[in-house]
Amino acid sequence: MKLSAIKDLLSADVIFGEDMLDSINVETAFASDLLSDVLAYSKENALFITGLTNPQVIRTVEVLDLVGVLFVRGKVPQMETVELAKRKGIPLLRTKCIMFESCGRLFTAGVKASRIMVD
Amino acid sequence: MSAVQFYMLKGKDFSNAGRISISIKRYLRENNYPTQVIQRVAIMTYEAEINLACYTRYGYFFVYFLDDQIKIIVKDRGQGIEDIDLAMQEGFSTASDEIRKLGFGAGMGLANIKKNSDYLIIHSVPGLGTRLEFNVALNTEKRGNRMGISLQEVREKANFELITDGLDCSRDITAGYVGDLLSDVNANAQTGNLWVTVLTHPNAVAVAALKDLAGVIIAGGIRPGRDFVQRAMAEGLPILFTPLSSFEVAAILSSMGITGNP
């Protein structure tokens, strides 16, 4: 599903990357507020769903080759985070939905888990 | 292509933590390493960076791009680890609230490094610092021999003078070694090494032959005498000569992709 469709589905604001929304296809997602868990368990090309707002979110996206970040619970990323995302060309969306609701809507719309369970 | 990379990170520098792993990742990508290898190296180095930022005053990264593996050594000056077994357990963490707010300190860092590495060695002195060594093994068949460089190529590229005229220089070099103490070279140089030294005494030839070295570069500009050259000829040991210092020679060899012994 396109990022633009995700934007509509979650009534999300686009913080950065408006022009990328139609070109990025999201097939899988990983939701977590623990960056170490994302590093340990997410696979590449997933959308990262989080309530964290610091620049390490972007570093993690870069290390893992994730496709973008969806901030949940209305969290506003720090200015430094947005600046870094701009430099790296990583799209940022923000929704007021809580994490559970965000994941539920995406799952219903066909987005799959980046990893079903940990070993 | 440089075969060793070096980085430094200061403690508490959370806005820069992550840059080292991205830089290593970019290098691996440019050199067409397998995606799996790149991913594993990036995750491990990133966790190590976060650990440096969280728990140390500063730390260093040494990244070795070897024939058969990528080896990473991280040394820091910091609080050290009291109980390594405990620290290795998933979920165990001594992280402060500040670190947890960043989304770290979930007690996954070292476990994550172990999971992604082919081996992990940890030495730590509480109150002083920690040394991590970990690697990712490479499927060497697919990659070819990265060190695969002969004395002949070194001689041609660096324009060193061969003073043992006519000796065969086609042997592959296994690594470089620099030293001016015969006992040290005797103890630490390995078969096929290219030895850089300022020694011009014939005993140096004897040690090089004994250790089955690939060749010797006489640095520093003092040309060895006849007895030295004759002995080398007799041993079939190629000797290169250069007026450059040992330091400069080592830098040149390194830039050709020759590393130290693993």
Side-chain angles (χ1 to χ4, degrees), chain B residues 94-109:
Chain B
T94 57
S96 64
D97 282 350
E98 183 197 357
I99 295 163
R100 288 175 202 270
K101 268 182 204 153
L102 288 172
F104 292 104
M108 295 295 290

Side-chain angles (χ1 to χ4, degrees), chain B residues 8-71:
Chain B
M8 183 193 178
L9 184 70
K10 286 183 178 163
K12 304 276 174 278
D13 189 0
F14 286 104
S15 57
N16 277 316
R19 291 178 80 151
I20 296 173
S21 38
I22 300 295
S23 164
I24 295 169
K25 183 177 178 176
R26 194 181 305 129
Y27 175 83
L28 292 173
R29 226 180 231 161
E30 284 167 1
N31 287 283
N32 300 315
Y33 281 80
T35 314
Q36 274 289 322
V37 169
I38 298 173
Q39 198 80 336
R40 287 167 62 197
V41 170
I43 290 172
M44 289 191 291
T45 47
Y46 186 47
E47 288 283 12
E49 276 186 85
I50 295 300
N51 280 349
L52 289 189
C54 289
Y55 303 113
T56 75
R57 285 186 285 126
Y58 58 90
Y60 301 108
F61 274 74
F62 301 86
V63 188
Y64 298 86
F65 302 90
L66 305 176
D67 285 2
D68 57 344
Q69 61 176 316
I70 295 164
K71 184 165 83 176

